[in-house]
Amino acid sequence: MNSTQTDLRLDQEELQELVLGRWAEDRRKMRKLMEDPIFHHQFDLTIAEHRELTLNQLKELADRQVIRKAYPKQFGGQESPGGNIAGFAEMFHAHPSMQIKGGVQWGLFGSAILSLGNEEQHKKWLPAVLNLELPGVYAMTEIGHGSDVGNIDTTATYIPEDDEFEIHTPFRAAWKEFLGNAALHGKAAVVFAQLITKNVNYGVHAFFVPLRDDDGNFLPGVGGEDDGYKGGLNGIDNGRLHFTHVRIPRTNLLDKLGQVDENGDYTTSIASSGRRFFTMLGALVQGRVSLAATAANASALALTGAITYGNQRRQFNAASDIEEQVLLDYGLHQRRLIDRLARTFADIFTANDLVVKFHEVLSGQNDTDENRQELETLAAGIKAVVTWNALDVYQEAREATGGAGYIASKNRFNALRDDLDIYTTFEGDNNVLLQLVGRRLLSDYSKEFANGSFKVLTRYVAERAEDSLYQRSGIRRVIQQVTDVGSDRRSAAWLKDTEVQRSLFTDRVRTQIAEVADALRPVAKKSQAEQAQVFNENQYDLIKAAKSHAQLLQWESFTDALERIEDENTRQIMTWVRDLFALSTIEQDLGWFIEYGHISQQRARALRQYTNRLAARLRPHAQDLVDSFGFTQNHLRMDITTGIEEERQEEAMEYYRRLRASGDAPIPEKVYRARQK
Amino acid sequence: MNSTQTDLRLDQEELQELVLGRWAEDRRKMRKLMEDPIFHHQFDLTIAEHRELTLNQLKELADRQVIRKAYPKQFGGQESPGGNIAGFAEMFHAHPSMQIKGGVQWGLFGSAILSLGNEEQHKKWLPAVLNLELPGVYAMTEIGHGSDVGNIDTTATYIPEDDEFEIHTPFRAAWKEFLGNAALHGKAAVVFAQLITKNVNYGVHAFFVPLRDDDGNFLPGVGGEDDGYKGGLNGIDNGRLHFTHVRIPRTNLLDKLGQVDENGDYTTSIASSGRRFFTMLGALVQGRVSLAATAANASALALTGAITYGNQRRQFNAASDIEEQVLLDYGLHQRRLIDRLARTFADIFTANDLVVKFHEVLSGQNDTDENRQELETLAAGIKAVVTWNALDVYQEAREATGGAGYIASKNRFNALRDDLDIYTTFEGDNNVLLQLVGRRLLSDYSKEFANGSFKVLTRYVAERAEDSLYQRSGIRRVIQQVTDVGSDRRSAAWLKDTEVQRSLFTDRVRTQIAEVADALRPVAKKSQAEQAQVFNENQYDLIKAAKSHAQLLQWESFTDALERIEDENTRQIMTWVRDLFALSTIEQDLGWFIEYGHISQQRARALRQYTNRLAARLRPHAQDLVDSFGFTQNHLRMDITTGIEEERQEEAMEYYRRLRASGDAPIPEKVYRARQK
């Protein structure tokens, strides 16, 4: 390493601004608030105690009026969907159960009333939703369906003689399942059901359904079960609900998208039932964006802990004069933590961009159909990779901090990991979401193919289209002819070239999608069963293509972020971080890149070596990088970041200094035996 | 798929015998016992309640005399170290906290007294250890040291005038940490400390130290802290202990390996302090073997749950006539679960072989120095990969079963995962263990290099040595010249060839080790600091080599197991399973294999396709394969394996059948609108 590289210091303030993104102020305010122990996690609680704590924290949040940002000014809100999510992400480190229960109440239940209800319904219910007088349930998922919401079996049948809807779950598979607030606290629910009137099924609509009386007893026809002890988030009272011929007034249909009059006639402003359905699921997109933003922030927290400890902990031998290396000086430890730090920056920048996109659509700044569709695709892919990354980061942080990392009440890794675990199937199973992305990419690809143009295959991929050397015919494609005779230095220069990285990420998506499309084309006109079989055979590869796409998005967001850095040193260091993200990501799929001729065998070797070197080069900056996240001890609340480790080392070394000075230090057996001889 | 492939049925009984291994009878007995709810996990307990439950279960185990298998007949045992571990592995599914607390009591504390103490000490303490009148602590790890036991700072200084040892932890870093039974139940401890007499330090020895009086209060000079809420295993009362000039009789030194007489003169039968130290740590090897066997068994349990559910769960649309596929019919789901099933069989066979090796050494059947060393290396590597695999299996099983998988009280995945989490750093951090393996391989390699023979590089690798085409000079090595013009069928034949697979696994280890050795050689004569730096730069690659070695061991054990299968169909199916293990493992590191010329680009492509096909080919056998593990519903205790999912589907389909028959079924909106036109 040359000295200029270690002499660089990054500007933590500027980097922090970039990390916190467009709604930095909202995030800082929420972080400040979350330092208050009243909002913190507690350990060793029974489920009942944990639920009580969480409910009380929600009341506190409601009282402090900090959860209304996404709501209209009329209800005390700021009409800032982006600011709302940015703040939401900053509740995680305080107490994930509080955060998610708040998400159920104000992000799902309340949002559904807001986005699907009419003005009268807003006035009637939202004030009580916002001040938590009316805790509610978002009753969409059914036991029999999981991610397949279009086919739910709960019905809402209009009964004209009483001007009422009858909500009914005709069998156990139709019971609503895994619902926050359902087991205990929910007084009402937004229930998603097939709207049937005059014997026509108009598809999934949302209904406001009272659940419990003021004493907390189920109303007639309503019933349920407690989901019990979960893998995490046990502060939330998840449960199942069933409805047996439950009657509600016609006016409880949240009818912004579809209306039923007293004659039972159905009207809608959205003729396409498919589009209506997707608008109905809008709250899920918000959920996915929120989970991505939270997961990225969660990874930053864990790595702050593990890297701070890695910079202090020694497998040290206080008795000897040699001060041993701290863990982070070890090559393996660098790859374990600094690779993941690079990926976490990618996660953060990608999630930030996603929140901006979400804000543009939801605030109406740029609410086109195309933009909504793109938002949906982006949210699906990004949520999947960022939440998986977070679980991986938590596991590595736990292992990298050894036994100390396992003591959850002191260092929290396992507790937070357990709360994050459900993110991988929350608001859509990650694999199902990636399949959605894959299908979208396929459809764009086939349009592109039909049009003979490259415009459609998402904005991100399309950018590169004009200068792509991509070949459609044949299976193996050689995008770059790489000269195998290049020196190591030339290889490194090639690897850190932004355009090279862009090509590698872009071409991988295009090739993988083209390959699946090629496999599907021969059966395009065949029977549904044949199509399904061939799709099935290619499903694994399609999901891989969708992951490649999400990684391209991460790389794009990171590269865009670099351009916004003004301080030259900071930009240089962050460019190394971006390079490490790019190359360690490519390294994990190196077989594919060599197999398809994108990287030569020699360059592959250079890539492995250069990636090791990058991690080592970033090692001196690791602490500054995590410090720039800006978490205080009140956010971290980890023993291992308090300096306790260094104190113990000092104490031990002082002991041995004195012992040696006293002349009473015992002689090692080896020395003694040598003297005996 | 041709019909002969699906027509095969495997012989579950024969496969089960193979899976249960040499001590099948011990395992079956323990499994039977563990069906009793008295031994089962309970949820939603406070730490205090969970610890109490666990202690009572230990008393029950002691009363039923089922934990003495490894002990001498004189103490009611069977002198069967292998049978003991086989049985131990079958306690996991009942209650992991009980299993591990039992491991602390009888596998560490008791074993240390047995293996390090003299006959008098056995008679004095073992009966009370075995019947749990004397719950004890294995006090080895210190806060400041973790995996580096040789440098612990606790001292045991002989005081000749009182004929006593003084146990002392001179500073906080020397406190004993993460000790089971320390926070609450432990009445005594085996404390590892530097033995000092006549001002000479003879290194780490073990001492029997009373901790608490009959009322549970610490004895004078002894103190401690409760570790509190952990990431799992909260039925065990882990804690820290410290000792301030605590006096014990000289006869409390467990003195089988080193003795101190009343004059303070030290004697030992093992002159080498290094060898003495490793013998001292014998209980850790037993711990590692036990964790590997348990983790393999744990993976089998999780996959039984997830695959059974995958065979029943549909994202189904009961309202339509088309019965949708079950999850396991999807290509992605096959790769997610059947790949891992193949790896789990590899884990099981490898762990079984390891237990046999352990038994041979510990029972004295084959207790040579070389065998002990090999056992240590094998245990280290196998424990690392098998425990990591188990965590990965649990995560995938949880995600593959969606929200249901997250309800720990119903389906247990998360709860068991949390209890397994510590396995990755238990009894040695997995990465540290792999480094140990890597160093051993390096040392064998350099001996081999010096001798000009291939004999030493572990038995497993050496087997292949004679016919290896391995080239020492140069970095890139081409072991096979693969003809790129081969057809897909020829490629598949090549890939499933046992000798080809053996070469691929073997040559990878050799090449990776040779490369690290090449990198280290130039600094062999340089300063310690320079050597350390170069070692550090190559640490990541060394760990990868050690992982490759462990995967070779898995492949070897699996291939050996195939030869013991008599039923032809079963052998055929299990050969596909072995092939899937081999090829999916190679696929994960495909970049390396292509880069180093072991697999051509075209064969790499064939490998990807053939691996997909193998998973699909095994799909019809998946249920039989997991059923052969032989777990009953009393072991599984998972909602999703009870058939409840199929019942719900039946109920829903019956509902729609009746509805259609009644003629009252609502018309879909699309049909209605089409009629309107």
Side-chain angles (χ1 to χ4, degrees):
Chain A
M1 200 183 306
N2 64 53
S3 64
T4 52
Q5 288 176 352
T6 41
D7 290 349
L8 298 186
R9 265 318 270 278
L10 65 81
D11 180 338
Q12 287 189 32
E13 273 181 44
E14 192 189 347
L15 183 54
Q16 184 174 119
E17 209 55 33
L18 198 68
V19 160
L20 295 184
R22 183 154 146 196
W23 291 274
E25 222 27 64
D26 294 87
R27 298 182 74 139
R28 286 210 182 85
K29 272 190 199 155
M30 189 60 90
R31 277 191 182 182
K32 190 75 204 152
L33 185 70
M34 289 298 123
E35 296 201 37
D36 188 338
I38 202 170
F39 296 114
H40 290 177
H41 200 168
Q42 293 173 23
F43 294 96
D44 194 23
L45 304 176
T46 61
I47 291 183
E49 291 164 347
H50 196 176
R51 288 174 175 181
E52 190 61 24
L53 170 74
T54 307
L55 181 68
N56 288 333
Q57 291 176 333
L58 254 63
K59 285 178 186 156
E60 197 66 34
L61 287 172
D63 288 351
R64 301 201 192 185
Q65 307 237 354
V66 291
I67 43 72
R68 302 185 177 213
K69 271 183 213 141
Y71 285 83
K73 291 183 177 146
Q74 172 190 6
F75 298 105
Q78 296 168 21
E79 297 174 12
S80 172
N84 178 55
I85 288 181
F88 178 82
E90 294 298 342
M91 292 183 182
F92 175 82
H93 40 74
H95 182 193
S97 282
M98 171 187 74
Q99 181 201 30
I100 299 296
K101 192 177 171 91
V104 169
Q105 174 68 12
W106 299 300
L108 292 172
F109 177 61
S111 283
I113 295 172
L114 179 65
S115 62
L116 304 176
N118 58 45
E119 277 189 36
E120 207 171 315
Q121 292 171 329
H122 293 173
K123 279 182 207 149
K124 192 170 169 190
W125 294 313
L126 284 183
V129 170
L130 288 165
N131 69 18
L132 206 65
E133 276 169 31
L134 182 67
V137 177
Y138 185 76
M140 174 182 275
T141 301
E142 297 182 356
I143 295 175
H145 287 285
S147 298
D148 177 17
V149 179
N151 285 313
I152 54 172
D153 293 302
T154 300
T155 52
T157 310
Y158 181 61
I159 316 287
E161 41 272 43
D162 301 318
D163 198 21
E164 289 180 336
F165 280 103
E166 185 182 276
I167 309 292
H168 189 57
T169 44
F171 40 75
R172 283 173 303 164
W175 288 13
K176 298 293 181 179
E177 171 63 310
F178 309 130
L179 314 172
N181 278 341
L184 208 58
H185 300 137
K187 289 188 181 163
V190 168
V191 175
F192 289 81
Q194 307 285 350
L195 188 159
I196 296 164
T197 178
K198 294 188 164 174
N199 215 36
V200 177
N201 182 343
Y202 288 93
V204 176
H205 286 67
F207 300 84
F208 183 94
V209 183
L211 295 177
R212 289 183 170 90
D213 62 23
D214 288 341
D215 298 329
N217 301 311
F218 277 128
L219 296 169
V222 181
E225 286 177 3
D226 196 319
D227 278 336
Y229 186 82
K230 303 191 298 289
L233 294 177
N234 276 305
I236 308 171
D237 54 321
N238 289 77
R240 302 172 163 186
L241 291 177
H242 51 85
F243 303 91
T244 308
H245 305 295
V246 170
R247 292 294 189 91
I248 54 168
R250 178 175 55 84
T251 50
N252 278 22
L253 163 65
L254 300 177
D255 70 352
K256 197 187 265 174
L257 303 180
Q259 307 82 33
V260 172
D261 67 17
E262 59 268 38
N263 300 318
D265 287 323
Y266 180 84
T267 50
T268 178
S269 53
I270 306 179
S272 153
S273 59
R275 237 187 90 214
R276 204 188 312 138
F277 174 65
F278 279 107
T279 314
M280 207 72 78
L281 303 191
L284 287 186
V285 173
Q286 170 164 316
R288 288 168 194 163
V289 176
S290 303
L291 295 180
T294 302
N297 201 38
S299 293
L301 189 85
L303 286 172
T304 304
I307 285 176
T308 302
Y309 185 68
N311 252 327
Q312 295 181 13
R313 172 75 174 175
R314 299 170 201 279
Q315 284 288 345
F316 87 121
N317 182 356
S320 91
D321 269 332
I322 303 163
E323 195 169 294
E324 289 192 16
Q325 294 181 308
V326 297
L327 295 183
L328 208 56
D329 291 327
Y330 290 97
L332 177 68
H333 217 75
Q334 290 164 8
R335 293 301 309 268
R336 291 171 75 184
L337 295 182
I338 301 179
D339 279 23
R340 285 175 173 83
L341 179 60
R343 208 180 57 204
T344 295
F345 275 105
D347 288 346
I348 288 170
F349 297 135
T350 316
N352 283 352
D353 286 353
L354 181 63
V355 177
V356 169
K357 181 112 201 160
F358 173 79
H359 184 83
E360 284 172 4
V361 172
L362 271 279
S363 67
Q365 285 173 28
N366 197 356
D367 185 10
T368 62
D369 259 19
E370 196 196 338
N371 239 341
R372 266 191 188 259
Q373 272 204 326
E374 187 167 295
L375 170 63
E376 227 177 88
T377 312
L378 293 174
I382 293 166
K383 181 264 188 181
V385 295
V386 176
T387 57
W388 270 329
N389 283 346
L391 279 193
D392 170 71
V393 162
Y394 270 77
Q395 189 60 31
E396 201 68 40
R398 194 312 268 163
E399 292 183 28
T401 53
Y406 194 59
I407 309 294
S409 51
K410 286 179 186 164
N411 292 309
R412 306 209 297 156
F413 294 121
N414 288 75
L416 296 176
R417 198 216 84 88
D418 285 349
D419 293 335
L420 282 168
D421 184 289
I422 191 63
Y423 281 39
T424 57
T425 53
F426 231 11
E427 320 287 17
D429 179 302
N430 280 356
N431 282 300
V432 175
L433 294 178
L434 286 176
Q435 182 163 311
L436 189 151
V437 173
R439 282 186 185 275
R440 176 74 194 279
L441 292 172
L442 271 180
S443 134
D444 286 358
Y445 176 81
S446 58
K447 277 183 216 157
E448 180 187 319
F449 188 72
N451 297 348
S453 101
F454 288 98
K455 268 183 206 143
V456 201
L457 185 57
T458 93
R459 205 154 292 180
Y460 292 84
V461 181
E463 271 181 20
R464 276 289 296 164
E466 311 82 68
D467 54 332
S468 167
L469 295 173
Y470 181 77
Q471 303 277 334
R472 249 196 218 89
S473 55
I475 288 157
R476 214 163 307 264
R477 290 165 188 90
V478 177
I479 304 291
Q480 292 121 357
Q481 285 299 342
V482 175
T483 47
D484 262 310
V485 289
S487 70
D488 274 6
R489 199 146 55 95
R490 210 191 303 158
S491 293
W494 183 76
L495 290 165
K496 66 190 181 187
D497 182 307
T498 298
E499 290 312 307
V500 167
Q501 291 177 14
R502 193 193 305 274
S503 290
L504 290 170
F505 279 102
T506 307
D507 295 337
R508 183 172 54 151
V509 184
R510 300 186 61 83
T511 308
Q512 289 177 332
I513 285 295
E515 222 171 37
V516 175
D518 280 352
L520 296 181
R521 197 167 300 119
V523 293
K525 305 267 155 86
K526 301 245 169 105
S527 75
Q528 236 186 322
E530 278 170 291
Q531 283 186 43
Q533 199 204 317
V534 175
F535 181 82
N536 198 5
E537 285 167 10
N538 288 275
Q539 189 193 22
Y540 183 66
D541 294 324
L542 182 65
I543 300 287
K544 280 200 285 192
K547 265 189 215 166
S548 299
H549 180 251
Q551 290 177 337
L552 166 63
L553 297 178
Q554 291 183 296
W555 184 88
E556 289 275 1
S557 284
F558 205 144
T559 303
D560 287 354
L562 291 180
E563 284 168 24
R564 299 198 296 276
I565 300 175
E566 287 176 16
D567 177 68
E568 208 176 305
N569 289 349
T570 307
R571 194 167 58 241
Q572 176 59 74
I573 294 166
M574 288 303 289
T575 302
W576 294 332
V577 176
R578 194 275 318 264
D579 291 346
L580 180 58
F581 164 71
L583 301 182
S584 62
T585 302
I586 290 169
E587 188 183 11
Q588 281 171 10
D589 200 14
L590 203 46
W592 189 91
F593 286 98
I594 311 177
E595 185 183 330
Y596 284 80
H598 296 267
I599 295 180
S600 70
Q601 285 162 295
Q602 168 152 345
R603 293 246 159 125
R605 185 178 150 72
L607 184 143
R608 287 180 196 275
Q609 291 173 338
Y610 187 57
T611 310
N612 273 339
R613 287 218 307 277
L614 269 175
R617 184 186 292 166
L618 284 166
R619 187 259 167 274
H621 306 288
Q623 193 67 49
D624 285 352
L625 285 165
V626 295
D627 286 347
S628 75
F629 294 141
F631 294 114
T632 68
Q633 295 296 329
N634 291 332
H635 301 127
L636 292 164
R637 304 200 304 285
M638 298 179 187
D639 250 24
I640 53 171
T641 60
T642 57
I644 197 175
E645 175 67 22
E646 281 189 337
E647 277 170 38
R648 283 192 296 249
Q649 289 170 21
E650 275 306 318
E651 186 194 356
M653 284 190 276
E654 178 59 23
Y655 170 86
Y656 281 110
R657 267 193 292 271
R658 285 182 194 212
L659 187 64
R660 279 192 299 269
S662 73
D664 294 339
I667 304 158
E669 181 183 9
K670 273 189 189 169
V671 177
Y672 172 73
R673 290 202 190 277
R675 284 186 198 165
Q676 296 295 96
K677 277 173 192 168
Chain B
M1 199 182 306
N2 64 52
S3 63
T4 52
Q5 287 176 354
T6 41
D7 289 350
L8 300 184
R9 265 317 271 279
L10 65 80
D11 180 338
Q12 287 189 32
E13 272 182 46
E14 193 189 346
L15 183 53
Q16 185 174 121
E17 209 55 32
L18 198 68
V19 159
L20 295 184
R22 184 154 145 196
W23 292 274
E25 222 27 64
D26 294 88
R27 298 182 74 138
R28 286 211 182 86
K29 271 190 201 156
M30 189 60 90
R31 278 192 181 183
K32 191 74 205 150
L33 185 70
M34 289 297 124
E35 296 202 34
D36 189 336
I38 201 170
F39 296 115
H40 291 176
H41 200 168
Q42 294 173 22
F43 294 96
D44 194 24
L45 303 177
T46 60
I47 290 182
E49 291 164 349
H50 196 175
R51 287 174 175 180
E52 190 60 25
L53 170 74
T54 307
L55 181 67
N56 288 334
Q57 291 175 334
L58 254 64
K59 285 179 186 155
E60 196 68 33
L61 287 172
D63 288 351
R64 302 200 191 186
Q65 307 236 358
V66 291
I67 42 72
R68 301 184 178 213
K69 272 183 213 140
Y71 285 84
K73 291 183 177 146
Q74 168 190 10
F75 298 104
Q78 296 167 20
E79 296 174 14
S80 172
N84 178 54
I85 288 182
F88 178 82
E90 294 298 341
M91 293 184 184
F92 175 82
H93 40 74
H95 183 192
S97 283
M98 170 188 74
Q99 181 201 31
I100 299 295
K101 193 178 171 89
V104 169
Q105 174 68 14
W106 299 299
L108 293 172
F109 177 61
S111 283
I113 295 173
L114 178 65
S115 61
L116 305 176
N118 57 46
E119 278 187 37
E120 206 171 316
Q121 292 170 331
H122 292 171
K123 280 182 205 147
K124 190 168 171 192
W125 294 311
L126 283 183
V129 170
L130 288 166
N131 70 17
L132 205 67
E133 275 168 33
L134 182 68
V137 177
Y138 185 77
M140 174 183 275
T141 302
E142 297 182 357
I143 296 175
H145 287 283
S147 298
D148 177 18
V149 179
N151 285 312
I152 53 172
D153 293 301
T154 299
T155 51
T157 310
Y158 182 62
I159 316 286
E161 43 272 44
D162 302 318
D163 198 23
E164 289 180 335
F165 279 103
E166 183 183 276
I167 309 291
H168 188 56
T169 44
F171 39 76
R172 284 172 303 164
W175 288 13
K176 298 293 181 179
E177 171 63 309
F178 311 130
L179 315 173
N181 279 341
L184 210 56
H185 300 137
K187 289 189 183 163
V190 169
V191 175
F192 289 81
Q194 307 286 349
L195 188 159
I196 297 163
T197 179
K198 293 188 165 176
N199 214 36
V200 176
N201 182 344
Y202 288 93
V204 177
H205 286 68
F207 300 83
F208 184 93
V209 183
L211 294 178
R212 289 184 170 89
D213 63 23
D214 287 341
D215 298 328
N217 302 310
F218 277 127
L219 296 170
V222 181
E225 286 176 5
D226 195 319
D227 278 336
Y229 186 81
K230 302 190 299 288
L233 294 178
N234 275 304
I236 308 170
D237 55 320
N238 289 77
R240 302 171 164 186
L241 291 176
H242 50 85
F243 303 91
T244 308
H245 305 294
V246 170
R247 291 295 189 93
I248 54 169
R250 178 175 54 85
T251 50
N252 279 20
L253 163 64
L254 300 176
D255 71 351
K256 197 186 266 174
L257 304 179
Q259 308 81 33
V260 172
D261 67 17
E262 60 269 37
N263 302 318
D265 288 322
Y266 181 85
T267 48
T268 178
S269 52
I270 306 179
S272 152
S273 58
R275 237 188 89 215
R276 204 188 311 140
F277 174 64
F278 280 107
T279 314
M280 207 72 79
L281 303 190
L284 288 186
V285 173
Q286 170 164 317
R288 287 168 194 163
V289 176
S290 303
L291 294 180
T294 302
N297 201 38
S299 292
L301 188 84
L303 286 172
T304 304
I307 285 177
T308 302
Y309 185 68
N311 252 329
Q312 296 182 11
R313 173 74 175 174
R314 298 170 203 278
Q315 282 290 342
F316 87 120
N317 182 355
S320 92
D321 268 335
I322 304 163
E323 195 169 292
E324 290 192 17
Q325 294 181 308
V326 297
L327 295 183
L328 208 55
D329 291 327
Y330 290 97
L332 176 67
H333 218 74
Q334 289 164 9
R335 293 300 309 268
R336 290 171 74 186
L337 296 182
I338 301 178
D339 279 23
R340 286 176 173 82
L341 180 60
R343 208 180 56 203
T344 295
F345 275 104
D347 289 346
I348 288 169
F349 297 135
T350 317
N352 283 352
D353 286 353
L354 181 62
V355 177
V356 170
K357 181 113 201 158
F358 173 79
H359 184 83
E360 285 171 3
V361 172
L362 270 279
S363 67
Q365 284 173 26
N366 197 356
D367 184 11
T368 62
D369 259 18
E370 196 195 338
N371 240 343
R372 267 193 187 257
Q373 271 202 327
E374 188 168 296
L375 170 64
E376 227 177 89
T377 311
L378 294 174
I382 292 167
K383 181 262 187 183
V385 296
V386 176
T387 57
W388 270 328
N389 283 346
L391 279 193
D392 170 71
V393 162
Y394 270 78
Q395 190 59 31
E396 202 68 40
R398 195 311 267 164
E399 294 184 28
T401 53
Y406 194 59
I407 309 294
S409 52
K410 287 180 186 163
N411 291 308
R412 307 207 298 156
F413 294 122
N414 288 75
L416 296 176
R417 197 216 84 87
D418 285 349
D419 293 335
L420 282 169
D421 184 289
I422 191 63
Y423 280 40
T424 58
T425 53
F426 232 11
E427 319 288 15
D429 178 302
N430 279 357
N431 282 299
V432 175
L433 293 178
L434 285 175
Q435 181 163 311
L436 188 152
V437 173
R439 281 184 185 277
R440 176 76 194 277
L441 292 173
L442 270 179
S443 132
D444 286 357
Y445 176 81
S446 59
K447 277 183 217 156
E448 180 187 319
F449 188 72
N451 297 348
S453 102
F454 288 99
K455 268 186 205 141
V456 200
L457 184 57
T458 92
R459 204 155 294 180
Y460 291 83
V461 181
E463 271 181 18
R464 274 288 295 164
E466 311 82 70
D467 54 331
S468 166
L469 297 170
Y470 183 77
Q471 303 277 334
R472 248 196 218 90
S473 55
I475 287 156
R476 216 163 304 264
R477 289 166 188 91
V478 178
I479 303 291
Q480 292 120 356
Q481 284 301 338
V482 175
T483 47
D484 262 311
V485 290
S487 70
D488 274 6
R489 200 147 54 97
R490 208 189 306 157
S491 292
W494 184 76
L495 289 165
K496 65 191 182 189
D497 182 309
T498 298
E499 289 312 308
V500 167
Q501 292 177 13
R502 192 192 305 273
S503 288
L504 290 171
F505 279 102
T506 307
D507 295 338
R508 182 172 56 150
V509 184
R510 301 185 61 84
T511 307
Q512 289 177 332
I513 285 295
E515 222 171 38
V516 175
D518 281 352
L520 296 181
R521 197 166 300 119
V523 293
K525 306 265 159 84
K526 301 249 169 100
S527 76
Q528 234 186 324
E530 278 170 290
Q531 283 186 41
Q533 199 204 316
V534 175
F535 181 82
N536 199 6
E537 285 167 9
N538 288 276
Q539 189 193 22
Y540 182 67
D541 295 323
L542 183 65
I543 300 288
K544 281 200 286 193
K547 268 189 214 167
S548 300
H549 180 250
Q551 290 177 338
L552 166 63
L553 297 179
Q554 291 183 295
W555 183 89
E556 290 274 1
S557 283
F558 206 143
T559 303
D560 285 355
L562 291 180
E563 284 167 26
R564 300 198 295 276
I565 301 176
E566 287 177 15
D567 177 68
E568 208 175 308
N569 290 349
T570 306
R571 195 169 54 240
Q572 175 60 73
I573 295 167
M574 288 304 289
T575 302
W576 294 331
V577 176
R578 194 276 317 265
D579 291 347
L580 180 60
F581 164 72
L583 301 183
S584 62
T585 301
I586 290 169
E587 188 183 11
Q588 281 170 12
D589 200 14
L590 203 47
W592 189 91
F593 286 99
I594 310 176
E595 186 183 330
Y596 284 79
H598 296 266
I599 294 181
S600 71
Q601 285 162 296
Q602 168 153 342
R603 293 246 158 125
R605 186 178 149 72
L607 185 143
R608 287 180 196 277
Q609 291 172 338
Y610 186 58
T611 310
N612 274 339
R613 287 217 309 277
L614 269 175
R617 184 185 294 165
L618 285 166
R619 187 258 167 276
H621 307 288
Q623 193 66 51
D624 285 352
L625 285 165
V626 295
D627 286 347
S628 75
F629 293 141
F631 294 114
T632 69
Q633 294 296 329
N634 291 334
H635 301 127
L636 293 163
R637 303 200 304 286
M638 299 179 186
D639 250 24
I640 53 171
T641 60
T642 57
I644 197 175
E645 174 67 23
E646 280 188 337
E647 277 171 36
R648 282 191 298 247
Q649 289 170 21
E650 276 306 319
E651 185 194 357
M653 284 189 277
E654 178 60 22
Y655 171 85
Y656 281 110
R657 267 194 291 271
R658 285 181 194 213
L659 187 65
R660 278 192 301 270
S662 74
D664 294 338
I667 304 158
E669 181 183 8
K670 273 190 187 168
V671 177
Y672 172 72
R673 291 200 190 277
R675 285 186 197 165
Q676 294 295 96
K677 278 174 191 167

